[in-house]
Amino acid sequence: MPVGSGTTSGAQAVRRAVNLLRVLSMARDSGYGLTDLARLTGLPHPTVHRMLRALMEEGLVEQKGATHRYVVGQEIQFLALARAPQTPLMTAAESHLGRLADLLGDTLFLTQRTGAETICVARRLGAYPVQVVPLRVGDRRPLGVSSAGLALLAALPADEARRILVLNAPQLAEYRLTVEASAAMVRDARRLGYALRDRGIVPGTRAISVVLRDAAGLPSAALTVAGVVRRLSHRRTSDIAETLWEAAARIERSLG
């Protein structure tokens, strides 16, 4: 065996296991079957099965008795208790989110980038009687699906955005999207300066997102407002985007 090959193999196994957990987390309580996981990770069935068995032994993955589908295990929650209850982003954004939701009247989301995905870290409801709630706190989406992911990709160099979309191709297919379709929406977002998902994940809705940058100036999160089409009309999109930009600037100043 070549020198260092064991270390390389071990690192690859860890990365594969972490990616498998990330994919599982996207399904939340409904879980995924073995075939789904093999397709979404691009790994052979036997490899995925061996990884699942090892993760189950450690409590990081569980299998539902009725459906035999796999879900993230309870041990993940216990490990998360070692972290502080709030991230720096949430600490900076907390005081702004409620006011922004009240101002806009529709559902507001704060989404953070994690690798090639986004995760919803906060949701606030507005006062309008019909609220659009396609995401729960903790829901993950591959970059290239939601308006938040499109806004984040548009803020990256074009070649890096393309690389991420190609990497996410199997996950995009789950939402009936192709790399080219998502790339076109990214180009539109780059041109506008904000992302408009004209047909939201929920039929009859729209979503508008702007990017939040961290202290180093890197795109790390997004503010999104989602509503029914008649609320987020094309006449209002630029005004809504302006309101989101102003709120994003305030949060960025709070981040330091």
Side-chain angles (χ1 to χ4, degrees), residues 1-255:
M1 179 182 293
V3 175
S5 62
T7 302
T8 302
S9 176
Q12 182 185 56
V14 170
R15 292 191 184 98
R16 284 178 169 181
V18 171
N19 183 52
L20 181 60
L21 289 171
R22 286 198 181 108
V23 170
L24 271 178
S25 70
M26 293 172 64
R28 302 288 294 245
D29 293 336
S30 59
Y32 280 131
L34 178 60
T35 299
D36 298 322
L37 291 170
R39 183 181 70 256
L40 292 170
T41 60
L43 296 173
H45 281 67
T47 301
V48 175
H49 189 257
R50 287 196 299 272
M51 291 168 60
L52 288 168
R53 296 300 302 176
L55 291 168
M56 287 174 65
E57 289 173 4
E58 299 299 328
L60 300 174
V61 169
E62 296 172 6
Q63 189 174 29
K64 292 195 165 188
T67 64
H68 301 291
R69 293 166 77 88
Y70 298 93
V71 296
V72 171
Q74 192 176 47
E75 186 65 23
I76 295 288
Q77 292 176 287
F78 298 150
L79 291 171
L81 293 175
R83 292 281 297 176
Q86 278 200 332
T87 64
L89 174 63
M90 275 304 301
T91 300
E94 186 71 55
S95 63
H96 303 283
L97 297 178
R99 289 197 298 270
L100 184 57
D102 290 341
L103 178 63
L104 293 171
D106 293 287
T107 313
L108 182 75
F109 301 93
L110 178 63
T111 305
Q112 190 162 1
R113 179 186 173 187
T114 170
E117 300 171 348
T118 60
I119 182 168
C120 178
V121 295
R123 184 180 74 184
R124 299 290 185 272
L125 301 181
Y128 188 69
V130 180
Q131 294 289 296
V132 175
V133 286
L135 292 174
R136 298 170 292 173
V137 173
D139 278 353
R140 289 175 178 263
R141 294 288 185 271
L143 286 169
V145 171
S146 67
S147 63
L150 296 172
L152 283 159
L153 287 172
L156 295 172
D159 57 344
E160 184 178 355
R162 177 79 183 189
R163 179 187 63 78
I164 292 171
L165 287 175
V166 171
L167 177 68
N168 282 347
Q171 288 83 4
L172 295 178
E174 295 290 302
Y175 295 88
R176 299 182 180 179
L177 287 169
T178 64
V179 169
E180 295 307 323
S182 291
M185 290 190 286
V186 171
R187 287 194 295 271
D188 288 341
R190 191 174 288 121
R191 174 176 54 83
L192 292 169
Y194 60 88
L196 170 64
R197 186 71 197 269
D198 210 27
R199 294 178 60 189
I201 295 174
V202 176
T205 68
R206 287 194 179 109
I208 302 170
S209 296
V210 303
V211 160
L212 278 162
R213 296 182 181 272
D214 60 21
L218 299 175
S220 61
L223 276 175
T224 300
V225 62
V228 294
V229 169
R230 65 178 178 271
R231 287 281 296 170
L232 272 61
S233 66
H234 288 295
R235 290 182 301 172
R236 293 186 64 214
T237 52
S238 59
D239 291 337
I240 292 170
E242 185 70 34
T243 300
L244 291 173
W245 279 327
E246 291 171 356
R250 290 193 292 270
I251 294 171
E252 287 172 350
R253 286 195 293 271
S254 298
L255 278 168

